[in-house]
Amino acid sequence: MKKYNVLVTGVGAIIGYGIIQSLRKSKYDVHVVGMDIYDDAYGQYICDEFIQAIPAAAEDYPLFLKNIIKEKDIDLVMFGTEQEIYRLIDEKEVLQEAYHKLVINNREILGLSNDKWKTHEFLVENGFDAIPTYIEGEYAALSAALGTPFLLKPRKSYASKGIEKIHDAEEFNFFKKRVAEQFMVQKIVGDAEHEYTVATFGFGDGTCIKPIMLKRKLSQEGATAKAWVVHSEEAEALVYQMAELLKPVGPTNFQFRYDNGKYLLLETNPRISSSTSLRTAFGYNEAEMCVEYFVEHVRPRAATIRKGTAVRYIADYVNLE
C-alpha cells in the first residue's frame, strides 16, 4: 500500500489532534505533517513532522501553504481550523494545482456556515422549520416575539463564541451595541439535554453517505464533552434533504436542537468538527474517508456504526528534559 503524506493544520487544538488520531486508526499508511502557529502545540508530539505556521490572516499565508505542499510532497491537506478554510476559498489562482489537495467544501454551504442569518434564510426559503430569528428590532418588540430570555448572537461566530442570554433591556442594549452590524437574536428552543450533531460525507452532487447522529453535551469551550450514539429517521431525512439542496463535498455536520417534536437546525459545519475523534471511535472515520475520496477518488461506503457513549476528560502530555 502506498504511503500518503497528509498535512494537518491546527494540531494544537481538539480538531487538529482529533484528525491525527483518526488517521492513525485508518486503513491507510500515512506520514503526518502537523502544522500550528504555536511552537508548543500538543499535536507535534503525535505527528511524524511538525512545522510552525504563520497565521491564516497573513497576506502571504496561501503562498506559505503552497510551498509547504510542494516541499513535503503533500497528498492531502486537512484543516483543524475553519479560519484557514475561509481564507483559502478564493485563492485558487495562488495555489493552482495545490488547491485540489485541500479538503474544502463548496462555496454555498461555506457561505451559510459563515453567516447564521443566511442559514435562517435558507431554511425559510426551502420550507424547513426554522427557529424564530431577527436581525433588527428593539427590546420590547423582540422580547414579545421571542419570549425572555432570548439569545443575542453574532451572525458570524464559531464554537458558541459571543452568544449571550438576554434577560432585560439593559443587557440587550449593551450587547447589541457590542456586536454592531453582526446583530442577530433568536428564540431559545429545546434545552441542553436535547442537542444533536449529525455528520455525513457529501459527494458534491446532492448525495451523501448515511449519517452518524450523536446526542451531546457541550463543554464551556463549545466542543462536545459527552456523546451518545442515537438514531432518528426524522433527523436523518432532514440531512438528506439539506444535502440534496446544498450539495456538500466531504465532511459536513448539522447541529440540531429537538423542541416540541421537531429537529431545528442551529447551524451547519461544512468541515471536520471537534467530534471527529469520537465519531472515529464509533466506526465513522472522516479522516479515512477524506483520503479515500480526495486522494484515491473513490466514494467511501457507509460506515458500520457502533452504539455507545463517550466522555471526554483532561489528560496530560509531559515531556521531561
Side-chain angles (χ1 to χ4, degrees), residues 2-113:
K2 180 181 176 181
K3 190 166 196 170
Y4 294 120
N5 295 322
V6 179
L7 176 63
V8 181
T9 74
V11 298
I14 192 168
I15 299 176
Y17 54 74
I19 293 172
I20 297 170
Q21 292 166 351
S22 297
L23 285 169
R24 298 300 190 202
K25 294 177 180 178
S26 76
K27 63 185 179 183
Y28 294 107
D29 186 10
V30 293
H31 178 86
V32 180
V33 180
M35 196 164 79
D36 200 279
I37 61 173
Y38 299 108
D39 62 2
D40 59 353
Y42 160 68
Q44 67 182 289
Y45 302 112
I46 55 176
C47 295
D48 298 299
E49 290 184 65
F50 176 72
I51 298 168
Q52 187 172 0
I54 64 174
E59 183 178 353
D60 54 349
Y61 175 75
L63 184 59
F64 170 83
L65 181 63
K66 179 182 178 181
N67 290 336
I68 294 298
I69 292 171
K70 181 179 179 180
E71 178 187 343
K72 299 297 181 180
D73 192 23
I74 298 298
D75 296 296
L76 187 68
V77 182
M78 304 177 72
F79 297 103
T81 72
E82 63 182 27
Q83 293 92 329
E84 292 167 292
I85 295 173
Y86 294 119
R87 176 70 175 85
L88 296 169
I89 187 67
D90 293 317
E91 296 293 346
K92 290 183 180 180
E93 186 174 341
V94 174
L95 290 163
Q96 298 177 332
E97 288 304 311
Y99 187 87
H100 301 293
K101 298 183 177 183
L102 312 183
V103 177
I104 290 186
N105 221 308
N106 76 41
R107 182 176 296 278
E108 182 178 2
I109 195 168
L110 282 167
L112 290 187
S113 71

Side-chain angles (χ1 to χ4, degrees), residues 211-252:
I212 178 173
M213 182 174 182
L214 301 179
K215 181 180 179 182
R216 67 176 189 167
K217 288 187 177 180
L218 295 177
S219 67
Q220 291 184 342
E221 292 75 28
T224 300
K226 297 180 181 180
W228 298 259
V229 177
V230 295
H231 175 72
S232 164
E233 291 186 3
E234 181 183 354
E236 192 170 286
L238 285 172
V239 168
Y240 285 134
Q241 291 170 37
M242 291 176 185
E244 185 176 2
L245 292 167
L246 295 170
K247 297 177 173 56
V249 182
T252 307

